[in-house]
Amino acid sequence: METKRRSVDRVNPEAELIKEGAEWLRAGELVAFPTETVYGLGANALDASACAKIFAAKGRPQDNPLIVHVSSLAMANSCVNNWTSSAELCVKNFWPGPLTLILPKTSLIPDIVTACLDNVAVRMPSHPVALRLIEEAGVPIAAPSANLSGKPSPTRGGHVWRDMKGKIPLILDAGACEVGLESTVLDVSGEVPTILRPGGITREQLEAVLGDVYTDSCSENQAPRAPGMKYRHYAPQGELILVSGHRERVVQRMVQEIIRGHSRFKKVGVLCTLESASYLHDRHPDLLFVLGSKDQPSEVARNIFEGLRLCDERKMDLILVEGIEEGGLGSAVMNRLEKAAGKRTQHI
Ligand code: TXA
Ligand code: MG
């Protein structure tokens, strides 16, 4: 299949491009589009065979459900059976924006979208291109991140192009995503709101509005409540080591790993904070990518997937990533890095 990649204005998206995207969606095809978090791979959420194409294009396991994106509350109502009071508070305070709500679904939503669960994930994105596209399509749009399953999420049109070219008819490219990490997934179907995936809206922001919020601590043997969280995720091709803790010790450890990597003829990539960059630069890694200041987790969030993908493009064998402090967006960044590193996490 020929894939068209079209540049679209992020603030005032061109009407003819939105129309083209909406036509593909209504015809049961896939369209990749920007959101404020990451790029999504969209299909008509009411069309089971269109949604099946998402799983095929990504190589996504069928038991991992999809987020349904809406452009209005009326559209959200058509997907959700029963709004809890905490869900209503979330809508008032955080929509449109990077917060996905888990709520009981209506019969309109096909089983393939929810992986046969009774609950559906819904989100109203704030990106003008996403909102206009959904509105023009006139149907809710199911969209996971537009990467091949297991790879870092795409935060630029070029990332989507690399993963999806030849598989989908259209990519709407509006440049870099502002948040850079996926939405927070919050289960508001029960008594106490529970974070299933940390993301663009922080725990602190949620607690300011909802009071106590739980975090789902899914153990190995338990069925996770967000099925997607059990899979290997965000992983570049090279071996990734995440080093976090006291900054001077972190830098020392990373220097040791650079030397060890080079002694084994490995290409070593380093993703680090601005504050550590000059020390590590002097040790001549094969790639040095600055994630942003350690005091600006939103900067690190925006750059992290770009950095991981760059390591793949430049064929790094070993990737050393400096962790940042937990709290706020820092917790979401560390969640993604821990998943990308698997067991190769060193806290020192
Ligand atoms: O920011 C985002 O959320 C992006 C953009 C495109 O909106 N989308 C995204 O989708 O990250 P995806 O498919 O990569 O991640 C969706 C997560 C998975 O962990 C999945 O298991 C969980 O949401 N999820 C979806 N539906 C669910 C449901 N009904 N119950 C529990 N978890 C659900
Ligand atoms: Mg994803």
Side-chain angles (χ1 to χ4, degrees):
M1 176 183 294
E2 189 201 351
T3 303
K4 291 196 172 117
R5 177 175 165 195
R6 300 216 191 275
S7 261
V8 56
D9 190 281
R10 61 180 314 137
V11 184
N12 290 305
E14 295 80 354
E16 68 277 11
L17 294 179
I18 295 295
K19 219 171 139 220
E20 185 182 344
E23 272 165 16
W24 281 119
L25 289 168
R26 281 198 301 265
E29 287 299 335
L30 305 185
V31 174
F33 62 95
T35 82
E36 71 279 23
T37 58
V38 301
Y39 276 75
L41 182 62
N44 176 355
L46 310 183
D47 177 344
S49 55
C51 291
K53 292 180 185 172
I54 291 179
F55 291 87
K58 279 181 63 90
R60 183 179 176 103
Q62 293 275 347
D63 65 350
N64 192 2
L66 306 173
I67 297 175
V68 175
H69 296 68
V70 298
S71 58
S72 68
L73 289 181
M75 203 183 260
N77 265 324
S78 73
C79 307
V80 171
N81 206 356
N82 179 32
W83 292 86
T84 57
S85 56
S86 48
E88 277 165 1
L89 275 174
C90 286
V91 167
K92 270 203 199 92
N93 285 278
F94 302 113
W95 275 14
L99 180 65
T100 295
L101 301 175
I102 306 290
L103 285 161
K105 78 176 191 87
T106 59
S107 57
L108 211 58
I109 304 296
D111 280 343
I112 188 168
V113 170
T114 60
C116 297
L117 297 170
D118 296 332
N119 288 337
V120 63
V122 272
R123 151 163 135 83
M124 189 189 291
S126 63
H127 198 295
V129 174
L131 281 174
R132 283 288 301 114
L133 180 69
I134 302 164
E135 194 175 42
E136 184 75 24
V139 286
I141 299 297
S145 48
N147 51 286
L148 291 173
S149 207
K151 293 279 137 210
S153 297
T155 54
R156 292 172 178 274
H159 299 162
V160 181
W161 174 254
R162 252 161 251 130
D163 282 13
M164 291 296 152
K165 70 169 176 292
K167 297 183 165 192
I168 63 175
L170 181 65
I171 299 168
L172 293 175
D173 184 345
C177 300
E178 297 152 56
V179 180
L181 284 182
E182 301 88 340
S183 63
T184 302
V185 178
L186 185 71
D187 188 339
V188 277
S189 65
E191 295 260 296
V192 184
T194 304
I195 297 174
L196 307 186
R197 178 179 73 180
I201 297 290
T202 64
R203 152 182 295 281
E204 292 81 353
Q205 284 174 290
L206 292 172
E207 282 183 339
V209 168
L210 301 172
D212 279 349
V213 172
Y214 287 174
T215 297
D216 187 45
S217 53
C218 67
S219 77
E220 294 278 297
N221 309 323
Q222 242 176 343
R225 283 166 66 183
M229 299 309 277
K230 75 181 176 208
Y231 292 106
R232 181 139 193 262
H233 255 101
Y234 316 113
Q237 247 126 42
E239 179 189 5
L240 190 151
I241 303 178
L242 170 62
V243 193
S244 64
H246 185 273
R247 206 171 59 81
E248 275 162 31
R249 286 202 293 269
V250 167
V251 171
Q252 273 172 15
R253 175 64 58 85
M254 288 173 87
V255 168
Q256 285 166 4
E257 294 287 355
I258 293 171
I259 294 168
R260 224 160 69 91
H262 280 163
S263 73
R264 296 171 176 180
F265 307 104
K266 291 188 174 180
K267 281 179 87 175
V268 184
V270 166
L271 311 187
C272 66
T273 63
L274 187 62
E275 289 76 9
S276 307
S278 60
Y279 304 102
L280 292 162
H281 181 263
D282 290 348
R283 301 304 174 136
H284 308 295
D286 299 274
L287 168 73
L288 183 104
F289 182 90
V290 178
L291 293 167
S293 167
K294 68 179 177 53
D295 301 320
Q296 297 286 333
S298 62
E299 239 179 283
V300 177
R302 199 175 304 131
N303 292 323
I304 189 72
F305 288 141
E306 165 88 7
L308 291 173
R309 281 185 169 258
L310 200 62
C311 287
D312 270 357
E313 272 164 49
R314 306 268 179 90
K315 305 214 164 6
M316 296 300 128
D317 306 300
L318 177 63
I319 302 159
L320 307 172
V321 187
E322 178 182 353
I324 61 169
E325 242 181 81
E326 295 273 351
L329 269 181
S331 300
V333 169
M334 288 304 284
N335 168 273
R336 303 306 187 270
L337 288 175
E338 279 159 12
K339 294 220 176 299
K343 301 228 177 329
R344 303 297 312 264
T345 302
Q346 305 180 0
H347 190 84
I348 53 178

